[in-house]
Each structure stands twice: as structure tokens, then as C-alpha cells.
């Protein structure tokens, strides 16, 4: 008996997604080499550990959850590239205590700061502030990458904001510990010293506002690096640093000791019950998620492979069916799920509703559900596969803008932890309503199939092609179908490249690209982090009825 057509389709989906995950893992393996084997060997010859080796030694086993591994991916090629933007960041436990880790990678341009390095550091600090996580900086950096200083130095979201955040975090009572394990020069010298406590490693660690060459050029003084700002100078003479350690391992042990003595903030007390595995295996996510973006599918089958016992308590199940709203548990944590449904359905009036589109009734349902979750202090998990809000005369007469605004308002003012998973499309205002990056999700990740843009590539290319063709014709240029197709293909190719998960991750529009089968684990880790900060009182703005 042969395999059914349906089974063949499911197998095809699974194979496609496994290939995408394999590509992701291969890319990450390369990125984790930093500046490459030769530079890693050079680092070791100086008696230093790499950034990732330092993290491995410092944190509890298997507790590190990396954020922004793909930052700067495909960027700065003219400068020789900057894997992970030259800094490794993520959450981890140190002696059971959740912390944020920021570790400069000295194998990438001596740890120099590119524009994305600054953005990535700011994202790490943002996560630390939102979730009240003690923050550990493992400093080994030559400072700003001078050829690009205009893109990292003066603006609000640039380099200087990091030091402002150091001060703000300290005032919030969020402990910050810095270990100076290599160069720490110029403006970068402020980061460790604006931390609450600082450690410096003998022989390899140094900190000063201006290095020996600049001192010579500025004031004519000749001084060596160690005398100017080495460990002995900064702990015995200036008192700039608090602890002197013989090597990397001793410095990391000192951090463990300091973290072990920290007090605790009140938790958010998010409800957690006994964790029950889903009845549906995680492999079914790959099987039920179509290879082709245009194919409809039942989102609930995806969710059943993520939530405890595969159980969902649906809210308004038969109303506004292009969005699924449901209570569930993920690894024991109580959650509220807002997910785009890709099935084609009919509303109560018998009108066809296309999957992945937000209609007035689905926006209204989602808004009410978000308000309910805030009232009950239940974290919200958003699953994106959205083309945007419905357009056209019928929708406009029905007040789609008003209903969409209600949903955006509720998401904007929501105070419970919000976590977003971009499964595939996240287009236009749909991205906003489903808690895209601009709406402060505690964490936002994408599957390898994720696409973030104003609209889909084909749609955007058609619009831009029409504009370009019209402009050329007004100038008197004669165009045939072949030329118009070439214009369309050129625009679509560029647009498609700029909507991929990798493009989004490289610019930190999402925190990571994950294997869809790891979604449950990622969400559980994210809620555990979010549980470290009390939930503020919820006050919704004006919502028109």
C-alpha cells in the first residue's frame, strides 16, 4: 500500500524545514569561531580564554541562552565582517542566579565596537533592565571602530547610551560586575568603572582613557601600557578597580563569588504548575507547517505541539477565527496565546475570511483577550503569520482602522511579559498588532521561515515596478514586457533578500533564529527571565467603542 498524498506532503514539509534548520546550525557554528582559528590561537598564546570559553567557565552548565548570535550577519563585509557584532550576549545562571552576560570577542577586530556592537549591548541592557537581571561584563575591547565612528558615537542610540544605562541600572538597584580581561580604552573605559564592582586581570587587563601612543602624541610623555593602566596601577595606586586577579579563571571565580552574595528582588509570581509534555511531538510542527507560504494550515496543530498536554482553552473560539486566542500552559507556566490562523473561514454573515489577515472581529477578540490577560497577570505569547489588516470598501466601512487601533493600543499598554515568535510572515500593521519589536516584547525570535516587511515581496515589487515603469514612460522611454519583467525581478530579488529571517536577525529586529522544535523551551526560558521583575499596574489608553 503506497503512501497517501497527504503523508507525502507532510514528509515534504518536514524535509524542507530540517534543511533550513541544518543551514541555520551550520551558520551558527561558523559564527561561533569569531575571528577564526588563527586569532583564537593567538589569544590563547597570551594566556587568555576566548569570549565563549569565559562564558562556559562562568555559568552553570547548559544554562546559557544566547541573544543576538546573528547580529551583523552579512554586514561590514568591506571591513572584513564582524561575527556576532564582536560581542557575545545572553542570559545564564551563575550559581543558580539568572544574569545577563556581555562578553567582548577580542578575536573580532580586537573587540572593536561596530555600530551593531553598540546596538547589541543596548539590547542586552534593555533586557536586563526590563527583567531586573544582574549584569556581568567581560571586557576585552580596543574601543570604537574608528572608520565608522560617525555611526556609533554621537546619537541617542549609540555608544554613549551604554554608559547612561550603566548609571540608570545602578540607580535601579541592578548589580553590575565588570571583569577587565584585556584592553579597555578611551570611552570604553567608562563601562567597567560605571559598573558597581570591577575586576582586573594581571598581565592582560589594562584600562585607561588614552593609550601609550595617544599619550605620547598628546602630551609628549613616554609610558608603557602596564605602568599607565595595568592591574597593579589601577588597584594599588589609582584605586580605579576593586579586585586584582592572576588570570582569567581566577577573575571568573571572583565573579561567581560576588554573585553568590547578592540579594533578590521580588518575583512577578507568574503562575506555574507541574510541567506536562505535549501529547503531540515537536516533529509535528515541521510536518504541519507548509513549505509554501501561500498554503493554508491549521495553526492549532502547531500550538498543540508546544503547550502542556496539548491542551488549549479557547477564548471566543467561533468568533474572529483568523486569530486564535487561548489560555494554556507551557512547561507549567500559565500563558495567553494570540496566534494568526491561516485557515480560510467564513464569519457569521457567511463572508469568506482569508487566513493570516486580521479582520475587525478578530482584532476585537484579540483586544479583549489581551485586556483579560493583563487583568489576570498572565504572560502573552504572540505567534506571527500575518499579512496585515483587511483592506477594501467593506472593511473600511466596518471601521477596520478603529478596530486595529484598539488592538495596537492594548498591545502597547500591556504590562504583562510579552514574547513574540515570528513563524513566517509579519507584515505591515500586522507586525505592530502582533507585538513586533517596536512594541517591547521581552523577547522576540523567528523561525528560519520568518519574514518581516511592510508587505510581501511580490506585492511590493508590483507596486514599485508600476511606479518605476510609469516614471520611465513619462520620460518618453519605450518599455516592453521583457523590460518590465526585468524591473520586477530586480526589485523582487532585493526585497526578498531584505525580508529574510537572517536579515532581521542581523539587525536585531529579532533576538534569535530558532529551530521551531525548540519553541517550547525558548518560551519557558523567556518567562523564567521575565518572572524576575514585578508586573506593573495595567492602565489602557482610550479605546473607542
Amino acid at each position: 500500500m503506497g503512501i497517501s498524498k497527504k503523508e507525502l506532503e507532510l514528509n515534504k514539509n518536514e524535509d524542507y524545514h530540517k534543511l533550513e534548520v541544518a543551514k541555520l546550525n551550520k551558520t551558527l557554528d561558523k559564527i561561533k569561531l569569531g575571528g577564526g582559528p588563527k586569532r583564537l590561537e593567538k589569544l590563547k598564546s597570551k594566556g587568555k580564554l576566548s569570549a565563549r570559553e569565559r562564558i562556559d567557565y562562568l555559568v552553570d552548565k547548559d544554562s546559557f541562552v544566547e541573544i543576538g548570535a546573528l547580529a551583523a550577519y552579512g554586514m561590514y563585509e568591506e571591513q572584513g565582517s564582524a561575527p556576532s557584532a564582536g560581542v557575545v550576549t545572553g542570559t545564564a545562571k551563575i550559581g543558580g542566579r539568572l544574569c545577563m552576560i556581555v562578553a567582548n570577542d577580542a578575536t573580532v577586530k580586537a573587540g572593536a565596537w561596530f555600530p551593531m556592537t553598540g546596538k547589541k549591548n543596548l539590547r542586552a541592557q534593555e533586557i536586563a533592565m526590563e527583567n531586573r537581571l544582574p549584569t556581568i561584563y567581560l571586557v576585552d575591547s580596543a574601543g570604537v571602530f574608528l572608520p565608522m565612528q560617525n555611526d556609533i558615537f554621537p546619537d541617542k542610540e549609540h555608544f554613549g547610551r551604554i554608559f547612561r544605562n550603566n548609571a540608570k541600572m545602578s540607580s535601579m538597584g541592578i548589580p553590575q560586575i565588570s571583569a577587565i580581561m584585556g584592553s579597555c580604552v578611551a570611552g570604553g573605559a567608562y563601562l567597567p568603572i560605571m559598573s558597581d564592582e570591577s575586576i582586573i586581570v594581571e598581565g592582560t587587563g589594562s584600562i585607561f582613557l588614552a593609550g601609550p601612543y595617544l599619550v605620547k602624541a598628546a602630551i609628549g610623555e613616554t609610558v608603557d601600557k602596564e605602568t599607565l593602566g595595568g592591574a597593579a596601577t589601577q588597584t594599588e595606586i589609582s584605586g580605579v578597580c576593586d579586585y586584582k586577579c592572576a588570570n582569567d579563571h581566577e577573575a571568573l571565580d571572583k565573579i561567581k563569588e560576588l554573585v553568590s552574595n547578592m540579594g533578590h528582588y521580588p518575583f512577578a509570581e507568574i503562575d506555574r504548575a507541574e510541567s506536562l509534555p505535549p501529547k503531540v511531538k515537536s516533529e509535528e510542527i515541521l510536518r504541519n507547517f507548509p513549505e509554501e507560504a501561500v498554503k493554508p494550515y491549521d495553526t492549532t496543530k502547531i500550538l498543540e505541539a508546544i503547550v502542556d498536554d496539548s491542551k488549549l482553552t479557547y477564548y471566543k473560539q467561533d468568533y474572529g477565527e483568523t486569530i486564535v486566542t487561548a489560555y494554556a500552559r507551557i512547561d507549567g507556566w500559565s500563558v495567553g496565546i494570540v496566534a494568526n490562523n491561516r485557515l480560510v473561514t467564513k464569519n457569521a454573515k457567511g463572508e469568506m475570511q482569508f487566513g493570516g489577515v486580521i479582520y475587525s472581529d478578530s482584532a476585537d477578540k484579540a483586544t479583549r483577550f489581551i485586556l483579560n490577560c493583563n487583568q489576570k497577570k498572565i504572560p502573552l505569547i504572540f505567534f506571527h503569520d500575518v499579512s496585515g489588516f483587511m483592506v477594501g470598501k467593506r472593511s473600511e466601512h466596518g471601521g477596520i482602522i478603529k478596530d486595529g487601533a484598539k488592538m495596537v493600543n492594548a498591545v502597547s499598554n500591556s504590562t504583562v511579559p510579552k514574547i513574540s515568535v515570528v513563524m513566517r510572515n509579519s507584515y505591515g500593521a500586522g507586525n505592530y498588532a502582533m507585538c513586533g519589536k517596536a512594541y517591547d516584547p521581552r523577547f522576540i525570535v523567528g523561525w528560519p521561515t520568518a519574514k518581516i516587511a511592510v508587505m510581501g515581496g511580490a506585492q511590493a515589487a508590483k507596486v514599485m515596478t508600476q511606479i518605476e515603469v510609469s516614471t520611465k514612460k513619462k520620460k518618453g522611454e519605450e518599455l516592453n514586457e521583457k523590460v518590465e519583467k526585468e524591473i520586477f525581478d530586480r526589485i523582487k530579488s532585493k526585497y526578498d533578500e531584505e525580508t529574510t529571517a537572517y536579515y532581521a536577525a542581523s539587525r536585531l529586529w529579532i533576538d534569535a533564529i530558532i529551530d521551531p522544535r525548540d519553541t517550547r523551551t525558548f518560551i519557558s526560558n523567556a518567562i523564567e527571565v521575565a518572572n524576575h521583575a514585578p508586573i506593573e499596574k495595567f492602565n489602557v489608553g482610550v479605546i473607542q467603542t
Side-chain angles (χ1 to χ4, degrees):
M1 188 175 178
I3 299 175
S4 68
K5 185 178 178 181
K6 178 64 175 175
E7 186 65 21
L8 281 172
E9 184 179 339
L10 295 175
N11 290 343
K12 185 182 175 185
N13 291 341
E14 184 177 5
D15 290 344
Y16 171 78
H17 294 302
K18 282 184 175 178
L19 285 172
E20 288 295 305
V21 170
K23 175 189 170 184
L24 170 65
N25 290 333
K26 186 178 179 180
T27 302
L28 291 173
D29 286 343
K30 185 178 179 181
I31 284 171
K32 287 175 182 178
L33 292 174
K38 288 184 179 179
R39 290 181 183 174
L40 285 167
E41 284 301 318
K42 186 177 179 181
L43 201 70
K44 289 180 181 180
S45 71
K46 297 178 181 179
K48 297 165 71 174
L49 299 173
S50 71
R52 293 183 183 278
E53 286 173 336
R54 288 167 177 167
I55 292 171
D56 286 344
Y57 183 83
L58 176 64
V59 307
D60 298 355
K61 188 177 180 181
D62 298 327
S63 71
F64 184 60
V65 179
E66 188 164 358
I67 300 297
L70 286 153
Y73 178 74
M75 301 172 70
Y76 313 130
E77 296 300 324
E78 291 182 7
Q79 293 78 22
S81 80
S84 275
V87 62
V88 184
T89 61
T91 61
K93 291 180 180 177
I94 301 175
R97 177 68 180 261
L98 262 172
C99 298
M100 171 59 69
I101 315 291
V102 179
N104 295 118
D105 186 348
T107 69
V108 179
K109 301 290 184 184
W113 290 61
F114 287 78
M116 283 306 303
T117 316
K119 186 173 183 178
K120 187 170 174 180
N121 273 259
L122 290 172
R123 176 59 179 151
Q125 289 180 320
E126 179 183 42
I127 292 170
M129 286 189 280
E130 285 179 335
N131 302 289
R132 293 192 173 273
L133 298 183
T135 302
I136 313 300
Y137 304 99
L138 306 180
V139 187
D140 194 346
S141 171
V144 168
F145 185 66
L146 292 177
M148 302 187 77
Q149 65 85 27
N150 61 312
D151 291 322
I152 191 172
F153 171 65
D155 212 342
K156 183 178 178 180
E157 300 300 325
H158 286 176
F159 193 58
R161 188 77 171 183
I162 295 164
F163 316 135
R164 176 263 189 194
N165 286 352
N166 288 140
K168 288 289 186 182
M169 289 166 72
S170 186
S171 72
M172 293 169 67
I174 298 172
Q176 298 171 87
I177 300 170
S178 285
I180 301 160
M181 312 179 87
S183 296
C184 191
V185 188
Y190 285 107
L191 184 147
I193 307 310
M194 292 193 73
S195 298
D196 301 296
E197 293 181 279
S198 62
I199 300 161
I200 188 167
V201 178
E202 291 182 278
T204 55
S206 59
I207 179 168
F208 29 64
L209 288 181
Y213 293 117
L214 184 53
V215 168
K216 179 70 174 177
I219 63 174
E221 182 179 70
T222 301
V223 61
D224 65 84
K225 185 176 178 181
E226 199 64 28
T227 303
L228 185 64
T233 295
Q234 301 294 24
T235 57
E236 298 171 19
I237 299 173
S238 70
V240 163
C241 297
D242 305 309
Y243 308 95
K244 179 173 62 177
C245 293
N247 52 49
D248 280 9
H249 288 104
E250 189 177 311
L252 297 168
D253 286 335
K254 180 64 70 175
I255 293 173
K256 293 179 186 181
E257 186 181 334
L258 294 172
V259 171
S260 71
N261 292 320
M262 289 180 182
H264 293 268
Y265 271 97
F267 279 27
E269 298 183 353
I270 298 168
D271 188 67
R272 192 177 195 185
E274 179 187 355
S275 177
L276 298 173
K279 290 178 179 176
V280 178
K281 293 181 179 180
S282 62
E283 297 293 326
E284 292 302 309
I285 297 174
L286 307 187
R287 289 167 59 79
N288 287 300
F289 193 59
E291 172 190 352
E292 297 175 37
V294 295
K295 281 192 175 181
Y297 63 92
D298 189 347
T299 305
T300 62
K301 289 186 176 182
I302 306 293
L303 300 177
E304 286 170 355
I306 295 171
V307 303
D308 287 16
D309 203 32
S310 300
K311 182 181 178 182
L312 294 143
T313 302
Y314 295 101
Y315 174 81
K316 293 183 182 290
Q317 184 174 7
D318 300 320
Y319 174 71
E321 293 181 80
T322 63
I323 286 184
V324 174
T325 49
Y327 299 106
R329 290 191 181 272
I330 294 178
D331 196 21
W333 297 106
S334 173
V335 299
I337 291 172
V338 180
N340 301 116
N341 192 5
R342 294 293 305 197
L343 287 178
V344 178
T345 60
K346 286 185 179 180
N347 64 16
K349 298 176 183 177
E351 298 165 340
M352 194 71 72
Q353 293 194 330
F354 299 98
V357 179
I358 303 176
Y359 292 79
S360 285
D361 54 358
S362 47
D364 175 68
K365 176 173 81 170
T367 300
R368 292 170 184 268
F369 184 71
I370 290 166
L371 299 180
N372 285 350
C373 287
N374 272 272
Q375 184 187 48
K376 300 174 184 178
K377 296 189 175 181
I378 298 174
L380 285 159
I381 317 297
F382 294 84
F383 288 89
H384 299 220
D385 192 353
V386 58
S387 302
F389 285 88
M390 191 58 190
V391 297
K393 184 174 71 174
R394 182 184 294 167
S395 293
E396 297 294 356
H397 289 186
I400 186 66
I401 296 175
K402 180 178 68 176
D403 291 317
K406 291 178 189 177
M407 187 174 173
V408 171
N409 190 322
V411 171
S412 302
N413 287 297
S414 179
T415 57
V416 295
K418 297 172 292 189
I419 298 159
S420 280
V421 179
V422 184
M423 301 186 296
R424 182 167 270 134
N425 301 335
S426 188
Y427 293 155
N431 172 272
Y432 302 158
M434 292 297 294
C435 195
K437 184 67 181 291
Y439 289 79
D440 296 326
R442 298 289 180 96
F443 295 93
I444 177 169
V445 296
W447 291 354
T449 45
K451 291 183 179 295
I452 300 173
V454 173
M455 62 181 74
Q459 294 168 294
K462 284 178 183 177
V463 172
M464 290 188 283
T465 299
Q466 288 171 8
I467 294 169
E468 188 170 334
V469 167
S470 176
T471 302
K472 288 180 180 295
K473 285 181 177 178
K474 285 178 182 177
K475 292 179 180 179
E477 296 182 36
E478 291 187 11
L479 302 174
N480 55 36
E481 287 186 13
K482 183 181 177 182
V483 174
E484 289 187 20
K485 185 178 184 304
E486 287 173 355
I487 293 171
F488 174 83
D489 290 342
R490 169 174 52 80
I491 294 172
K492 185 177 183 298
S493 177
K494 180 177 183 295
Y495 203 88
D496 285 344
E497 180 187 343
E498 293 176 357
T499 60
T500 66
Y502 290 91
Y503 195 90
S506 71
R507 287 150 181 82
L508 291 178
W509 301 344
I510 54 177
D511 294 315
I513 302 175
I514 65 170
D515 183 334
R517 293 167 294 187
D518 293 336
T519 304
R520 173 181 166 86
T521 301
F522 184 87
I523 292 171
S524 177
N525 288 336
I527 297 175
E528 184 178 7
V529 171
N531 196 39
H532 281 65
I535 296 171
E536 298 176 10
K537 184 179 178 182
F538 177 65
N539 290 304
V540 72
V542 176
I543 293 185
Q544 296 181 4
T545 55

